[in-house]
Structure formats: C-alpha cells, structure tokens
Amino acid sequence: ELALRGNELNRAYKLDGFGSDTITFLRVTAAHSMLFRPRTNVPWLDTVRVGVGLTWLHGLRYSSVTASTGELLTTVYTMTGCVHQVQSQADGGDGFGLTLGGSLPLGPRLHLDLVLRDPIGIIFWYRNPRVREVSYELKSLDVPVFIREQRLDSFVLHTTVTRPGAATGTKLPGILAFGGGYQASKILAVGAIVNLPVTSSSANSIPALAAPLAGLQVKLVPTPHVDVDLSAGWIGQPGPADRSEDALWGQLLLGF
C-alpha cells in the first residue's frame, strides 16, 4: 500500500503478522511392502501391493513466530514506529511418522499408486526450548536530525530478551497422493502425481512443508548403474494475509 499509494500523514499503519518460521530436521524411513492376496474371487486384487513405512524424525532447529505486532506513524514533523515479536525456539528434538501405500498394476507397463504420507507425524522439541522476545522501536525521527546523523540505525532501539520455555510439538502436514507410472522402455519411465492435504492447518502445524500439489517425472536408466530423474511440479500454499501463493518447482537428480 505504501508503494502504490504513498504515505498518508497521521495514519497509523499496522505492522502485524511479520515474521518467518524455520524448521530443520532429518527423516529416516524404513518401509516394507507385500502382495495383498485377500483370497477372493476378484483376480485383480491378487496383484495389489500394499506397504507401510515407519519414520524417525530428528529435529535440528526450530523457530516459530507466535506473535508479531507493530505500527508505523508519520506526522508532518516526525516518524515513529515499533515492532514486537515473540518467538518459540528450540535446538533439537525427536519424533515419528507413518506412511501407508498401495500399488495396482494395470498390465506389464502401467501402474496406479495411492500413498498416505504422515497422517501421524510429529516432532517433539525438547532440547533447550526457549521464548525469545525481540523489539524494534523507531525513536522520534525528523528530517533535520536525520540529515545531521545520517545513520538510520542510530534512531532504532533494538532489545532482545530470552527466557526458558516449555517443550512443544509440531505436526507435519498429512498428504494423500494419487500417482501413476508408465514404463515406456527399459531405459525410460514417466509418472504423474497429484497431492491433496488431509490435515487442517493449526497453530502448531507446518503447512509450508506440504508437497507440490501436482507433478511430473521422467526417469532415465541409461545403464544398470546410473539413474537420472527429472521432476517438475506446481506448489500452492498460504501466503501473507491468508492469500494463496503459487509457484513452479523442479529438480534434477543423478544417482549411481
């Protein structure tokens, strides 16, 4: 609004909601699959393969903004403002996750897949949990003083207070994925996937970790020891002020 319309004097501009969250963790998963074989008279059910994966989640760093308020006011003579943030932080933790999946072959080259990832997935942050409060205050600033000082940071009062906090938990977003793959030849395979969120966002969830909403993959195996994967997808997630943000995503993987 400031960029498009300019500054309106004597109006207090709200600076609420500023901040970003940071989370770093390792995911180690052990999985196993087997043929369904329900012993019925439906032949295609005997070709369905089902599997389950158990995941250990090791948290390395966590920082989340739990509250952020502030305002900016410009008068004819001075400019004042302030921003106050409360952050929940921790240096490590552990958790677990669960993945369920199934695959249905439709002939020798085509298969359809269904995966439910992290319907249960949570990290408990218990290493050095703390609460950090950060405040920035713009003291009364006027043009003559600014010209004389010529340093904006000399007018900004920065304070930080850190105190011990309680252990907390963050939920990983559950994803229901529908996919399909086609083996065109011995060296070429293609696939497509569509993801749907299955858990609603809450105060301790991590919506930014959700997988791309849709994606395509091309896999090349030129030799038995080399694997090339090219993937691209579309990501959509909540942005500032509850607006949706869309972006394209891609990666190139080379395996040996």
PDB file of all heavy atoms in Angstrom, residues 81-98:
ATOM      1  N   GLY A  81       7.664   4.479  15.113  1.00  0.00           N
ATOM      2  CA  GLY A  81       7.203   3.129  14.812  1.00  0.00           C
ATOM      3  C   GLY A  81       7.790   2.117  15.771  1.00  0.00           C
ATOM      4  O   GLY A  81       8.748   2.399  16.505  1.00  0.00           O
ATOM      5  N   CYS A  82       7.220   0.927  15.769  1.00  0.00           N
ATOM      6  CA  CYS A  82       7.711  -0.138  16.629  1.00  0.00           C
ATOM      7  C   CYS A  82       7.238  -1.483  16.077  1.00  0.00           C
ATOM      8  O   CYS A  82       6.214  -1.576  15.400  1.00  0.00           O
ATOM      9  CB  CYS A  82       7.236   0.042  18.072  1.00  0.00           C
ATOM     10  SG  CYS A  82       5.448  -0.046  18.265  1.00  0.00           S
ATOM     11  N   VAL A  83       8.020  -2.520  16.358  1.00  0.00           N
ATOM     12  CA  VAL A  83       7.676  -3.901  16.028  1.00  0.00           C
ATOM     13  C   VAL A  83       8.075  -4.771  17.204  1.00  0.00           C
ATOM     14  O   VAL A  83       9.196  -4.647  17.724  1.00  0.00           O
ATOM     15  CB  VAL A  83       8.374  -4.379  14.742  1.00  0.00           C
ATOM     16  CG1 VAL A  83       8.144  -5.867  14.534  1.00  0.00           C
ATOM     17  CG2 VAL A  83       7.896  -3.605  13.534  1.00  0.00           C
ATOM     18  N   HIS A  84       7.185  -5.643  17.621  1.00  0.00           N
ATOM     19  CA  HIS A  84       7.454  -6.545  18.743  1.00  0.00           C
ATOM     20  C   HIS A  84       7.090  -7.960  18.318  1.00  0.00           C
ATOM     21  O   HIS A  84       5.984  -8.218  17.845  1.00  0.00           O
ATOM     22  CB  HIS A  84       6.639  -6.141  19.976  1.00  0.00           C
ATOM     23  CG  HIS A  84       6.860  -7.052  21.140  1.00  0.00           C
ATOM     24  ND1 HIS A  84       8.015  -7.034  21.898  1.00  0.00           N
ATOM     25  CD2 HIS A  84       6.075  -8.026  21.689  1.00  0.00           C
ATOM     26  CE1 HIS A  84       7.925  -7.942  22.855  1.00  0.00           C
ATOM     27  NE2 HIS A  84       6.764  -8.567  22.742  1.00  0.00           N
ATOM     28  N   GLN A  85       8.048  -8.879  18.486  1.00  0.00           N
ATOM     29  CA  GLN A  85       7.845 -10.273  18.101  1.00  0.00           C
ATOM     30  C   GLN A  85       8.116 -11.198  19.279  1.00  0.00           C
ATOM     31  O   GLN A  85       9.013 -10.944  20.087  1.00  0.00           O
ATOM     32  CB  GLN A  85       8.771 -10.678  16.945  1.00  0.00           C
ATOM     33  CG  GLN A  85       8.324 -10.229  15.582  1.00  0.00           C
ATOM     34  CD  GLN A  85       9.157 -10.866  14.481  1.00  0.00           C
ATOM     35  OE1 GLN A  85      10.116 -11.585  14.755  1.00  0.00           O
ATOM     36  NE2 GLN A  85       8.797 -10.597  13.239  1.00  0.00           N
ATOM     37  N   VAL A  86       7.340 -12.278  19.341  1.00  0.00           N
ATOM     38  CA  VAL A  86       7.566 -13.351  20.303  1.00  0.00           C
ATOM     39  C   VAL A  86       7.830 -14.624  19.512  1.00  0.00           C
ATOM     40  O   VAL A  86       7.016 -15.019  18.675  1.00  0.00           O
ATOM     41  CB  VAL A  86       6.363 -13.533  21.248  1.00  0.00           C
ATOM     42  CG1 VAL A  86       6.639 -14.658  22.233  1.00  0.00           C
ATOM     43  CG2 VAL A  86       6.059 -12.243  21.986  1.00  0.00           C
ATOM     44  N   GLN A  87       8.976 -15.257  19.748  1.00  0.00           N
ATOM     45  CA  GLN A  87       9.382 -16.440  19.003  1.00  0.00           C
ATOM     46  C   GLN A  87       9.554 -17.623  19.939  1.00  0.00           C
ATOM     47  O   GLN A  87      10.115 -17.488  21.031  1.00  0.00           O
ATOM     48  CB  GLN A  87      10.699 -16.181  18.262  1.00  0.00           C
ATOM     49  CG  GLN A  87      10.655 -14.980  17.333  1.00  0.00           C
ATOM     50  CD  GLN A  87      12.034 -14.609  16.814  1.00  0.00           C
ATOM     51  OE1 GLN A  87      13.042 -15.197  17.218  1.00  0.00           O
ATOM     52  NE2 GLN A  87      12.090 -13.623  15.933  1.00  0.00           N
ATOM     53  N   SER A  88       9.091 -18.775  19.522  1.00  0.00           N
ATOM     54  CA  SER A  88       9.320 -20.036  20.226  1.00  0.00           C
ATOM     55  C   SER A  88      10.459 -20.768  19.518  1.00  0.00           C
ATOM     56  O   SER A  88      10.376 -21.023  18.307  1.00  0.00           O
ATOM     57  CB  SER A  88       8.043 -20.877  20.233  1.00  0.00           C
ATOM     58  OG  SER A  88       8.282 -22.136  20.848  1.00  0.00           O
ATOM     59  N   GLN A  89      11.512 -21.106  20.247  1.00  0.00           N
ATOM     60  CA  GLN A  89      12.700 -21.698  19.643  1.00  0.00           C
ATOM     61  C   GLN A  89      13.150 -22.933  20.410  1.00  0.00           C
ATOM     62  O   GLN A  89      12.837 -23.107  21.590  1.00  0.00           O
ATOM     63  CB  GLN A  89      13.847 -20.676  19.598  1.00  0.00           C
ATOM     64  CG  GLN A  89      13.557 -19.433  18.776  1.00  0.00           C
ATOM     65  CD  GLN A  89      14.728 -18.477  18.743  1.00  0.00           C
ATOM     66  OE1 GLN A  89      15.606 -18.502  19.602  1.00  0.00           O
ATOM     67  NE2 GLN A  89      14.748 -17.613  17.738  1.00  0.00           N
ATOM     68  N   ALA A  90      13.888 -23.795  19.714  1.00  0.00           N
ATOM     69  CA  ALA A  90      14.489 -24.986  20.323  1.00  0.00           C
ATOM     70  C   ALA A  90      15.654 -25.429  19.453  1.00  0.00           C
ATOM     71  O   ALA A  90      15.712 -25.124  18.259  1.00  0.00           O
ATOM     72  CB  ALA A  90      13.466 -26.108  20.480  1.00  0.00           C
ATOM     73  N   ASP A  91      16.586 -26.169  20.070  1.00  0.00           N
ATOM     74  CA  ASP A  91      17.798 -26.605  19.374  1.00  0.00           C
ATOM     75  C   ASP A  91      17.767 -28.068  18.961  1.00  0.00           C
ATOM     76  O   ASP A  91      18.763 -28.578  18.440  1.00  0.00           O
ATOM     77  CB  ASP A  91      19.023 -26.364  20.255  1.00  0.00           C
ATOM     78  CG  ASP A  91      19.285 -24.884  20.477  1.00  0.00           C
ATOM     79  OD1 ASP A  91      18.913 -24.083  19.602  1.00  0.00           O
ATOM     80  OD2 ASP A  91      19.843 -24.537  21.532  1.00  0.00           O
ATOM     81  N   GLY A  92      16.660 -28.760  19.168  1.00  0.00           N
ATOM     82  CA  GLY A  92      16.612 -30.151  18.751  1.00  0.00           C
ATOM     83  C   GLY A  92      15.432 -30.876  19.351  1.00  0.00           C
ATOM     84  O   GLY A  92      14.780 -30.416  20.286  1.00  0.00           O
ATOM     85  N   GLY A  93      15.139 -32.021  18.781  1.00  0.00           N
ATOM     86  CA  GLY A  93      14.048 -32.849  19.252  1.00  0.00           C
ATOM     87  C   GLY A  93      13.942 -34.116  18.421  1.00  0.00           C
ATOM     88  O   GLY A  93      14.744 -34.353  17.508  1.00  0.00           O
ATOM     89  N   ASP A  94      12.954 -34.920  18.724  1.00  0.00           N
ATOM     90  CA  ASP A  94      12.736 -36.171  18.009  1.00  0.00           C
ATOM     91  C   ASP A  94      11.237 -36.409  17.863  1.00  0.00           C
ATOM     92  O   ASP A  94      10.423 -35.855  18.607  1.00  0.00           O
ATOM     93  CB  ASP A  94      13.377 -37.343  18.753  1.00  0.00           C
ATOM     94  CG  ASP A  94      14.889 -37.257  18.776  1.00  0.00           C
ATOM     95  OD1 ASP A  94      15.512 -37.557  17.741  1.00  0.00           O
ATOM     96  OD2 ASP A  94      15.449 -36.871  19.823  1.00  0.00           O
ATOM     97  N   GLY A  95      10.902 -37.236  16.890  1.00  0.00           N
ATOM     98  CA  GLY A  95       9.510 -37.573  16.659  1.00  0.00           C
ATOM     99  C   GLY A  95       9.387 -38.777  15.757  1.00  0.00           C
ATOM    100  O   GLY A  95      10.366 -39.493  15.496  1.00  0.00           O
ATOM    101  N   PHE A  96       8.190 -39.006  15.263  1.00  0.00           N
ATOM    102  CA  PHE A  96       7.935 -40.181  14.443  1.00  0.00           C
ATOM    103  C   PHE A  96       6.868 -39.850  13.417  1.00  0.00           C
ATOM    104  O   PHE A  96       6.115 -38.883  13.539  1.00  0.00           O
ATOM    105  CB  PHE A  96       7.470 -41.361  15.320  1.00  0.00           C
ATOM    106  CG  PHE A  96       6.186 -41.091  16.063  1.00  0.00           C
ATOM    107  CD1 PHE A  96       4.956 -41.408  15.509  1.00  0.00           C
ATOM    108  CD2 PHE A  96       6.214 -40.498  17.316  1.00  0.00           C
ATOM    109  CE1 PHE A  96       3.777 -41.158  16.190  1.00  0.00           C
ATOM    110  CE2 PHE A  96       5.033 -40.245  18.004  1.00  0.00           C
ATOM    111  CZ  PHE A  96       3.821 -40.565  17.432  1.00  0.00           C
ATOM    112  N   GLY A  97       6.818 -40.668  12.370  1.00  0.00           N
ATOM    113  CA  GLY A  97       5.824 -40.519  11.320  1.00  0.00           C
ATOM    114  C   GLY A  97       5.424 -41.872  10.767  1.00  0.00           C
ATOM    115  O   GLY A  97       6.092 -42.891  11.002  1.00  0.00           O
ATOM    116  N   LEU A  98       4.331 -41.885  10.032  1.00  0.00           N
ATOM    117  CA  LEU A  98       3.782 -43.119   9.459  1.00  0.00           C
ATOM    118  C   LEU A  98       3.394 -42.863   8.013  1.00  0.00           C
ATOM    119  O   LEU A  98       2.846 -41.805   7.685  1.00  0.00           O
ATOM    120  CB  LEU A  98       2.568 -43.578  10.258  1.00  0.00           C
ATOM    121  CG  LEU A  98       1.795 -44.781   9.730  1.00  0.00           C
ATOM    122  CD1 LEU A  98       2.634 -46.046   9.873  1.00  0.00           C
ATOM    123  CD2 LEU A  98       0.465 -44.925  10.458  1.00  0.00           C
TER     124      LEU A  98
END
